[in-house]
Amino acid sequence: MKISGAQGIIECLLEQGVDTVFGYPGGRILPLYDAIYEGKIRHILTVHEQGAIHAADGYARASGKVGVCIATSGPGATNLVTGLANAYLDSVPLVVITGQVSTDLIGADAFQEVDITGITMPITKHNFLVKDVATLPEIMRFAFRIASSGRPGPVLIDVPSDIQLDVFNFTQEEEQEKNKPRFQWELSQLGSSLIDRAAAVLETAKQPVMIVGGGVVSSGAYEQVVALAEKMNAPVVSTLMGLGSFSSEHPLFLGLTGMHGHKRANLAVHGADVVIAIGSRFNDRVTGNKFKYAEGKTLIHIDVDPAELDKNVSTHIPLAGDVKQLVTTLNERIKPFNPSPWWKVIWEWKQEFAVKPDGNDLSATWMLKQVAERTKGKPFIFATDVGQHQMWAAQNLHIETPRSWITSGGLGTMGFGLPAAIGAQIAMPTKRVIAIVGDGGMKMTGCELFTAASQGLPLITIIVDNSSLGMVRQLQQLFYKQRYSESLLPVPMDFVCFAKAFGIEGTLTTTQEEFLAAFSAAIESNCPRVIIVKIPTEQLVTPMLKPNSPLDTFMDI
Amino acid sequence: MGHHTISILVLNQSGVLVRVAGMFSRRGFNIESLAVGTTHVPEYSRITAVMQGSDAIVAQVVKQLEKLVEVRAVEILPVNTAVVRDMAMIKVKAAQNKKLEVLQLAETFGAKVVDISNETLMVEITSGKTNTDALIDALSSYGILEMIRTGVVGLQRGDCSIYEKEKCEISALFDTAQVEA
Ligand SMILES: Cc1ncc(C[n+]2csc(CCOP(=O)(O)OP(=O)(O)O)c2C)c(N)n1
Ligand SMILES: [Mg+2]
């Protein structure tokens, strides 16, 4: 059929099963918006392009589908840069479509021209500039395949405005082509012998630990990972990105590992003789001192991306490939065992470092435990912003299922939480989404409340208001002699009034009772709600590893 | 730490050189030389990069290169079983009474003189890197006006071919790029 490039883009999106896109219009993407007007695809208009791409990101993380985002050329495209980097570092599959000046103007510094493929080269898995409308369908199809295959990531397609208008002959992708994987993965002979070695090492381990990372979420290998852990009876810890891939309620689960991880979890990793890490890339926030990390241990590393093996720490048994298949095969070749003396040690740690009860004042940790309690076993998704509240959430919420924990791990992007929560709520209308954000980050992208309001989303936004850029303040307290340079926000911000501007009911809470009342009311309501949790500025995130130290060296705070 | 010569088969598309070079600089790998040219298959170009680094670093480089969509195959040229060459043109000062000397010197290194003016000679050499380095060294005492090198290129000896290592991508975008083994 003869259609325009813009209509071709819509057809290709439909072909890929896309029903919702996030975006913001402008001059050089007008042909595509004209095609969107036909109403074949739901378009969510956000307040800012950064909001659109974070929403697409949250949508992708919550649903496991590819998120789609659209923006115009120039400033529209540059507003996507943070979101692309965020998705790139957290391996989130996105297809991002930008308008571009018409092909005859490219390179002329035309109005709203930027070289967005050049700018985003290091922060996309791949990008394309479409120069001929005939190649557009193939590029679209390939972009989806790249974004979702192997280690997922964002792909950008820059489409000049004349290409969007050009008429061409569109043919639907054949059904059998559609479901073809990008690469066929098979266990190699070397891989097979490495699995045998891994099995042998694990069976003789006295103090094994399993680390689950974001790769377990994106590979969908949850069941396989649980089966393997249960066979080994090994304690399981999770990275920030891995939360939910292994249920927090499982008896083998010890908690969060890394800079602000639970003591029992970090001590277990530190004391382990064999560590099997699945879908984690040994980021510096996870390893502490990377030279001491692997001392006295055998590391088994399973990841879909071969380049992650031996990148940050060198491993003894590197296994690259399809995580599901690798874990399944390893499980088949391993005999069940039970490292009971190791569990005795761990039980002692559990007792020793049991969570201290919170006082009677309203605190973030108390609030989060209450939220965990009241949402237990129910279909909730939690999205966070970046800062102290994020770490408190990671430590105190109970993430029971995969894709119900959405946080900016690799880039640590303030302003991510609210728009990502919006995307997640749109992806998962039958679940409730709770955004946990700081007072600093809320000011960055808080206007996206407008999007939540205009879409009528039942989103609950909890603002942990410590009147400061708390995480920065914490670092200044600990490492910069309490010189709180630009991290205190003593001038009050009326978030209730702010929410009201969008027609959203906000409740300021300063006591435990007030919070519980506001939270119950929010849960019962079907409308977006904002709850402000006012806490003292001085609270610190503990435990905390000493910088660049082994995992058993905690700050004395 | 040694020199490593990496041969990279890429799709002949705009931007691919930037992607490859960008990967090196972004990840802090130093390239000593980078040479690009077309191949007998119009859809492909071939890049030769020389870098210094430990074996572990080079292994990481290879893996990062392999992740680039337009990179179709990567191989490290083995020192003992590859032919590597680099071409240099050196414009050297040579008054009349020095011309013969420089000519002879060039000949010793297997280089050719390709241009003569009153006060200069242009010497061209295609050779292994150490030989070229030695010639440049020898010529520098006469005074080098300007010079240029192509950077190292190389192929493995024997009947192997980098096309055998090509990753098989399942996409019609690459249909044109099928090569007979
Ligand atoms: C876009 C961006 N800018 C700056 C930072 C550095 N940063 C990390 S945490 C933080 C403070 C966040 O303050 P707030 O949102 O109030 O959260 P809190 O730590 O107080 O819970 C800052 C400034 C960042 N991560 N992202
Ligand atoms: Mg704050």
Side-chain angles (χ1 to χ4, degrees):
Chain A
M1 75 186 148
K2 287 241 183 280
I3 54 174
S4 71
Q7 289 166 321
I9 292 174
I10 302 287
E11 289 304 320
C12 288
L13 290 174
L14 292 171
E15 207 175 73
Q16 297 293 332
V18 175
D19 53 21
T20 307
V21 300
F22 300 84
Y24 205 91
R28 292 299 184 176
I29 195 78
L30 280 180
L32 181 55
Y33 272 85
D34 195 55
I36 287 172
Y37 197 68
E38 286 163 23
K40 292 186 180 172
I41 279 186
R42 178 179 183 202
H43 179 276
I44 309 289
L45 178 67
T46 54
V47 177
H48 188 291
E49 287 88 354
Q50 186 184 354
I53 190 163
H54 288 331
D57 184 324
Y59 179 95
R61 292 190 208 219
S63 66
K65 295 193 272 190
V66 177
V68 179
C69 172
I70 301 171
T72 190
S73 70
T78 53
N79 274 347
L80 299 176
V81 168
T82 302
L84 283 168
N86 187 73
Y88 184 66
L89 282 177
D90 285 349
S91 306
V92 177
L94 297 183
V95 167
V96 174
I97 300 165
T98 48
Q100 180 56 281
V101 300
S102 58
T103 44
D104 58 319
L105 286 175
I106 286 182
D109 298 325
F111 178 64
Q112 295 195 331
E113 177 187 3
V114 295
D115 172 16
I116 198 64
T117 47
I119 290 172
T120 60
M121 223 170 246
I123 49 168
T124 51
K125 194 170 170 189
H126 194 59
N127 59 25
F128 297 91
L129 170 62
V130 185
K131 291 178 178 157
D132 174 359
V133 73
T135 63
L136 185 67
E138 209 39 69
I139 287 178
M140 289 284 298
R141 289 162 195 158
F142 194 34
F144 273 87
R145 210 160 277 169
I146 294 173
S148 56
S149 63
R151 178 180 184 170
V155 179
L156 179 136
I157 309 174
D158 199 22
V159 194
S161 54
D162 56 326
I163 304 279
Q164 297 171 45
L165 291 168
D166 281 348
V167 171
F168 74 117
N169 198 7
F170 175 82
T171 40
Q172 212 93 47
E173 184 174 40
E174 280 166 39
E175 216 41 50
Q176 79 253 32
E177 287 294 311
K178 240 188 224 172
N179 303 318
K180 270 192 192 165
R182 192 170 154 221
F183 296 111
Q184 208 75 49
W185 186 83
E186 265 169 40
L187 185 59
S188 67
Q189 221 163 3
L190 176 67
S192 178
S193 65
L194 284 171
I195 290 185
D196 285 336
R197 265 182 57 202
V201 165
L202 285 170
E203 278 167 8
T204 53
K206 299 208 161 53
Q207 302 179 322
V209 165
M210 179 188 278
I211 301 178
V212 293
V216 177
V217 179
S218 50
S219 66
Y222 337 116
E223 282 165 24
Q224 291 78 359
V225 166
V226 171
L228 179 63
E230 285 176 352
K231 199 148 178 195
M232 290 162 48
N233 276 297
V236 178
V237 302
S238 174
T239 69
L240 184 68
M241 289 299 297
L243 289 177
S245 68
F246 199 94
S247 170
S248 59
E249 306 310 295
H250 196 290
L252 294 175
F253 190 67
L254 295 188
L256 181 72
T257 182
M259 185 162 160
H260 289 296
H262 296 105
K263 275 194 181 171
R264 52 181 189 264
N266 280 338
L267 287 173
V269 176
H270 184 76
D273 59 349
V274 177
V275 167
I276 172 166
I278 307 176
S280 160
R281 59 193 170 92
F282 294 117
N283 180 261
D284 48 275
R285 294 288 144 136
V286 167
T287 59
N289 184 317
K290 68 174 181 176
F291 301 106
K292 304 236 172 80
Y293 186 74
E295 256 173 28
K297 301 186 208 309
T298 307
L299 288 189
I300 303 167
H301 191 183
I302 300 182
D303 203 281
V304 69
D305 182 356
E308 284 306 337
L309 307 173
D310 293 329
K311 188 181 86 176
N312 294 333
V313 294
S314 56
T315 31
H316 304 89
I317 306 178
L319 287 164
D322 185 291
V323 174
K324 251 187 204 172
Q325 290 189 47
L326 285 169
V327 173
T328 307
T329 313
L330 178 56
N331 194 4
E332 283 162 7
R333 296 191 194 171
I334 218 168
K335 286 197 291 285
F337 60 94
N338 195 348
S340 18
W342 179 219
W343 273 106
K344 254 189 79 191
V345 178
I346 291 169
W347 276 116
E348 276 162 26
W349 284 332
K350 274 198 160 175
Q351 236 95 71
E352 187 179 347
F353 304 116
V355 208
K356 290 187 212 88
D358 299 281
N360 296 326
D361 293 331
L362 183 58
S363 67
T365 46
W366 175 86
M367 177 273 289
L368 288 156
K369 281 185 209 112
Q370 290 300 317
V371 170
E373 184 80 6
R374 272 145 226 270
T375 55
K376 203 172 170 169
K378 298 189 189 128
F380 276 84
I381 294 177
F382 299 95
T384 79
D385 211 72
V386 169
Q388 288 183 312
H389 63 279
Q390 175 190 30
M391 293 303 133
W392 283 321
Q395 294 170 340
N396 292 291
L397 289 173
H398 290 209
I399 312 296
E400 296 164 55
T401 54
R403 302 197 177 281
S404 53
W405 167 252
I406 296 173
T407 201
S408 170
L411 195 66
T413 313
M414 275 175 78
F416 171 76
L418 177 63
I422 290 171
Q425 186 66 79
I426 287 168
M428 297 299 181
T430 58
K431 296 186 177 178
R432 277 307 277 281
V433 179
I434 300 181
I436 294 146
V437 303
D439 51 324
M442 186 63 186
K443 288 175 202 154
M444 282 195 174
T445 52
C447 284
E448 294 298 344
L449 278 181
F450 181 77
T451 313
S454 42
Q455 298 294 330
L457 303 176
L459 179 69
I460 301 172
T461 305
I462 299 179
I463 305 173
V464 178
D465 185 359
N466 53 6
S467 314
S468 71
L469 304 176
M471 191 53 104
V472 171
R473 192 200 154 279
Q474 170 159 356
L475 295 173
Q476 289 169 336
Q477 174 176 342
L478 299 174
F479 304 117
Y480 290 86
K481 305 194 179 105
Q482 289 130 58
R483 288 154 59 91
Y484 300 123
S485 179
E486 304 296 323
S487 61
L488 303 180
L489 307 168
V491 178
M493 159 97 178
D494 188 343
F495 284 109
V496 173
C497 190
F498 182 69
K500 198 168 175 205
F502 305 104
I504 294 176
E505 188 178 326
T507 314
L508 176 67
T509 67
T510 56
T511 65
Q512 296 187 346
E513 294 69 38
E514 281 170 7
F515 174 77
L516 291 181
F519 190 68
S520 311
I523 295 281
E524 266 148 43
S525 142
N526 275 327
C527 306
R529 289 285 185 122
V530 171
I531 303 172
I532 299 107
V533 177
K534 195 88 189 128
I535 61 165
T537 303
E538 293 74 25
Q539 292 180 352
L540 299 181
V541 181
T542 60
M544 178 180 187
L545 289 174
K546 283 197 177 146
N548 202 27
S549 304
L551 293 196
D552 66 339
T553 346
F554 303 100
M555 300 279 303
D556 200 6
I557 46 175
Chain B
M1 298 285 267
H3 291 271
H4 303 266
T5 309
I6 306 171
S7 194
I8 312 158
L9 186 69
V10 300
L11 291 180
N12 187 5
Q13 288 172 357
S14 67
V16 59
L17 186 61
V18 184
R19 278 183 216 280
V20 169
M23 192 288 292
F24 278 91
S25 66
R26 178 162 69 255
R27 294 190 180 270
F29 307 130
N30 281 320
I31 321 181
E32 280 176 17
S33 77
L34 190 74
V36 206
T38 52
T39 70
H40 66 296
V41 191
E43 290 83 6
Y44 289 93
S45 293
R46 192 150 174 180
I47 299 176
T48 314
V50 178
M51 66 171 292
Q52 231 185 30
S54 65
D55 289 351
I57 288 181
V58 175
Q60 176 63 207
V61 166
V62 170
K63 290 193 279 189
Q64 292 294 350
L65 285 170
E66 282 172 338
K67 286 208 299 186
L68 298 177
V69 169
E70 288 147 338
V71 168
R72 310 311 297 164
V74 183
E75 61 183 26
I76 299 173
L77 295 184
V79 184
N80 299 324
T81 59
V83 182
V84 290
R85 291 288 180 266
D86 131 74
M87 177 184 153
M89 295 159 88
I90 307 137
K91 199 186 282 175
V92 63
K93 280 191 200 145
Q96 287 306 343
N97 60 347
K98 294 279 183 191
K99 286 220 160 67
L100 198 64
E101 217 178 297
V102 174
L103 264 161
Q104 276 170 346
L105 193 119
E107 210 160 276
T108 320
F109 283 89
K112 286 188 300 192
V113 170
V114 291
D115 187 54
I116 303 181
S117 76
N118 256 351
E119 295 296 321
T120 66
L121 288 177
M122 195 198 295
V123 179
E124 175 203 309
I125 182 168
T126 302
S127 179
K129 190 174 168 338
T130 44
N131 193 43
T132 310
D133 287 345
L135 172 66
I136 293 167
D137 213 32
L139 290 176
S140 60
S141 60
Y142 296 89
I144 294 174
L145 276 177
E146 58 175 338
M147 65 160 289
I148 190 158
R149 293 176 86 150
T150 55
V152 168
V153 297
L155 283 181
Q156 279 204 57
R157 293 180 189 275
D159 54 11
C160 57
S161 154
I162 195 169
Y163 293 93
E164 289 160 10
K165 294 188 182 161
E166 205 199 329
K167 54 181 173 189
C168 47
E169 180 113 31
I170 307 166
S171 167
L173 268 195
F174 297 107
D175 273 358
T176 48
Q178 293 303 312
V179 175
E180 294 140 50

